[in-house]
Amino acid sequence: MYDVLIIGAGVIGCAVARKLSHYQGKIAVLERAEDVADGASKANSGIVHAGFDAKPGTRKAYYNVKGAKMYAQVAKELGVPYNPVGALVLAFSEEDRATIEKLYEQGIKNGVDGLEIIERDEILKLEPNTNPDVVCALNVKTSAVVSPYEMTLALSYHAAQNGVEFIFDAPVESVRYENENWHVKTPKGEFEARAIVNCAGVGSGEIHNMISDKPLNIIPRRGEYYLLDHTVKCPFSRTMFQCPSKMGKGVLVSPTAHGNALLGPSAEEVEDAYNTDTTRYGLDFVFDKCRLTWPKVNTRPVITTFAGVRAHPDTDDFLIGEVSGAPEGAFEAAGIESPGLSAAPAIGEELGEMVAEHLKLPDTRMFKKAVPLLKPFAGMTSEERAEACKQDPEYGRIVCRCEVVTEAEIRDAIRRPVGARSIDGVKRRTRAGMGRCQGGFCSPRVLEILVEELKCDPTDVTKSGGASNLLVGTLSDIAKEARGHE
């Protein structure tokens, strides 16, 4: 029996969990995948949008602007990579100029600071690699980049530090309200709670329709990306947007929080909400669009491509608060597409407070401060590296050469609250496998460390949960099978 069950361990679910951990109560997060940040929270642009694009008066606009203003402090508390790089929204025609002027006016109405419209010569002075056909741009000084999966992880760590339980591989099969409590059925068993919070991302419509008599339709939109090697300097210091369309904010070229260049996304409606395949069509679309911003773009530095699916609601706005058409004790953050990452701190704070107030949960006086993410060995000075190795000799063993990740960092990622249980789990926490060889060198050693720390069989280790096992058997098994056929 729980006070609160949160469905979904993406950035929104973990932000809500962190806020609720300020209160006295039994709280759990149910996640369909094997780790936090397994959906859109690991596969997006990593942009903290300032809030100029959202229609004034909407929940998107309100939570975007409030959340963006909270980000620097939250990232500092949690030790998450965050960089206020700014952004330019480019116009390549007089028709585009009208869009830029509209975005400027929207931003002012939404309360966005640091907006100005600049002309061609100033753009090329700020960003010399921009297409010289540019006409004007919206200069967004308060835009930033963040590591989205590390933000989600850090939120989950802090929530777990303060008593929140995380239950993985637990997709919701049914939800019912009985005897004034909510009953949530999963393959891991049935869970009961006084309140539930739907933060299920692309699955939020399905959960909503289990508990409400007012249907919600979520349209899955897949976006595909190119990621470039960080050893090749990003051609822009800012996030470079093109004018948005009805399908989203458009294709961008942007530095990431870790110094890579990111190109994308496309925007394609798909039937399967969990289909993250990349396609020739989608990637060609991204590449062709990027040429408009960066004429010299090429695929030579590309180290990987990936896709994420965002949850577009047919209401075209966030649904946040008590679930309309449902019994009491049902809350949701549904239809959270872009700028959901930017809005997450504000949504987490307000929705968590709503739930706590509904249940009359008392404040806890033993709330623990966050243990910040470790400073990466790759980012340390020579003196810091020497001291780290002195304190823990495992800092002296490099496992991932591309990203300079040590054994000490990998073991810490597994041992932390809500620790890694897969190759990709280690990858998101440490960047081991995110470099130019994409894990070709370090994956076997990462697998060995997972086996040692989790005390499991090597054949049980997966790339990303489910049936993604890296090993299918042992040489001994093969020999026995061969002898059986003799």
Side-chain angles (χ1 to χ4, degrees):
M1 178 68 189
Y2 293 88
D3 290 296
V4 186
L5 284 173
I6 299 166
I7 301 170
V11 69
I12 303 296
C14 290
V16 173
R18 178 182 185 243
K19 181 61 182 179
L20 281 171
S21 72
H22 284 72
Y23 299 90
Q24 294 178 33
K26 191 175 182 184
I27 301 155
V29 180
L30 297 175
E31 168 55 45
R32 69 185 301 278
E34 62 90 29
D35 198 4
V36 303
D38 193 76
S41 296
K42 75 176 181 197
N44 60 70
S45 303
I47 310 298
V48 180
H49 297 285
F52 59 86
D53 189 49
K55 184 179 178 181
T58 61
R59 293 187 186 92
K60 278 186 182 180
Y62 169 75
Y63 284 105
N64 183 169
V65 175
K66 181 177 180 180
K69 291 179 178 179
M70 295 170 66
Y71 244 94
Q73 182 59 36
V74 173
K76 183 179 179 181
E77 288 175 17
L78 300 177
V80 174
Y82 169 88
N83 191 356
V85 295
L88 294 178
V89 186
L90 306 176
F92 290 96
S93 67
E94 289 305 314
E95 184 180 346
D96 282 350
R97 181 188 288 274
T99 301
I100 295 296
E101 291 171 350
K102 180 181 177 182
L103 293 175
Y104 173 83
E105 291 169 3
Q106 284 188 172
I108 297 300
K109 288 179 181 177
N110 290 341
V112 179
D113 300 323
L115 292 178
E116 62 176 352
I117 296 176
I118 59 176
E119 300 301 320
R120 175 183 180 277
D121 289 347
E122 189 171 355
I123 296 165
L124 296 178
K125 184 178 179 181
L126 292 173
E127 298 289 355
N129 290 306
T130 307
N131 185 343
D133 291 338
V134 68
V135 173
C136 66
L138 181 64
N139 187 9
V140 189
K141 297 177 183 178
T142 54
S143 184
V145 293
V146 69
S147 174
Y149 43 88
E150 286 177 89
M151 174 56 74
T152 308
L153 287 163
L155 290 167
S156 74
Y157 292 163
H158 199 196
Q161 271 181 258
N162 287 285
V164 175
E165 182 182 352
F166 284 78
I167 302 163
F168 296 106
D169 298 312
V172 172
E173 296 173 336
S174 66
V175 183
R176 73 181 191 280
Y177 186 71
E178 185 177 286
N179 298 325
E180 299 185 344
N181 285 320
W182 289 96
H183 299 257
V184 181
K185 184 181 178 184
T186 78
K188 289 278 183 84
E190 185 167 291
F191 300 86
E192 186 177 355
R194 297 165 60 202
I196 58 171
V197 188
N198 172 17
C199 301
V202 291
S204 60
E206 184 179 353
I207 302 298
H208 174 100
N209 294 336
M210 289 181 184
I211 61 181
S212 172
D213 59 14
K214 296 183 179 179
L216 171 65
N217 182 34
I218 296 293
I219 304 163
R221 284 183 177 170
R222 180 172 59 194
E224 302 180 41
Y225 294 87
Y226 287 99
L227 185 69
L228 278 56
D229 193 344
H230 66 69
T231 60
V232 178
K233 190 176 185 301
C234 183
F236 302 101
S237 61
R238 296 164 178 77
T239 299
M240 306 295 282
F241 292 101
Q242 295 173 15
C243 284
S245 71
K246 64 178 182 179
M247 294 293 281
K249 293 180 174 61
V251 173
L252 57 82
V253 181
S254 177
T256 69
H258 293 285
N260 304 75
L262 185 69
L263 317 179
S266 57
E268 176 192 6
E269 294 183 0
V270 292
E271 291 185 9
D272 183 355
Y274 303 100
N275 180 358
T276 56
D277 293 345
T278 54
T279 66
R280 182 75 272 157
Y281 170 81
L283 293 173
D284 284 347
F285 173 85
V286 168
F287 191 73
D288 289 342
K289 285 288 186 181
C290 281
R291 279 201 187 97
L292 182 60
T293 297
W294 180 24
K296 293 183 179 179
V297 63
N298 68 84
T299 57
R300 188 176 183 84
V302 171
I303 56 174
T304 192
T305 59
F306 65 94
V309 181
R310 47 195 183 269
H312 176 69
D314 57 7
T315 59
D316 204 32
D317 197 7
F318 296 163
L319 282 81
I320 296 169
E322 294 188 66
V323 180
S324 178
E328 67 172 18
F331 297 82
E332 67 185 349
I336 309 298
E337 57 182 342
S338 181
L341 175 65
S342 313
I347 295 174
E349 181 177 89
E350 293 198 6
L351 189 53
E353 286 176 352
M354 287 180 206
V355 177
E357 184 177 337
H358 172 79
L359 295 177
K360 295 180 171 52
L361 298 178
D363 289 340
T364 178
R365 297 181 180 179
M366 299 294 291
F367 185 73
K368 300 174 185 175
K369 290 185 177 180
V371 176
L373 302 184
L374 295 179
K375 183 173 184 177
F377 189 76
M380 293 181 184
T381 64
S382 297
E383 292 76 16
E384 289 172 331
R385 289 183 176 185
E387 181 59 28
C389 292
K390 182 179 177 181
Q391 295 296 323
D392 184 351
E394 288 179 344
Y395 268 107
R397 300 174 193 154
I398 303 297
V399 175
C400 173
R401 293 179 180 178
C402 298
E403 298 294 316
V404 196
V405 180
T406 66
E407 185 171 323
E409 293 169 285
I410 292 170
R411 292 191 186 277
D412 174 78
I414 300 168
R415 293 171 183 171
R416 275 190 176 241
V418 201
R421 301 184 302 149
S422 65
I423 297 292
D424 280 2
V426 170
K427 179 179 179 180
R428 284 190 289 274
R429 288 163 175 81
T430 67
R431 295 189 61 77
M434 283 199 178
R436 70 183 69 86
C437 86
Q438 289 291 288
F441 175 80
C442 63
S443 289
R445 181 58 187 143
V446 171
L447 184 149
E448 288 177 347
I449 297 171
L450 280 164
V451 168
E452 292 167 14
E453 291 290 333
L454 301 178
K455 296 179 172 51
C456 64
D457 191 278
T459 57
D460 292 333
V461 176
T462 66
K463 182 181 183 297
S464 55
S468 62
N469 302 72
L470 271 76
L471 305 174
V472 296
T474 66
L475 292 175
S476 175
D477 293 335
I478 293 171
K480 288 178 183 177
E481 186 178 350
R483 286 196 293 271
H485 289 297
E486 290 178 356

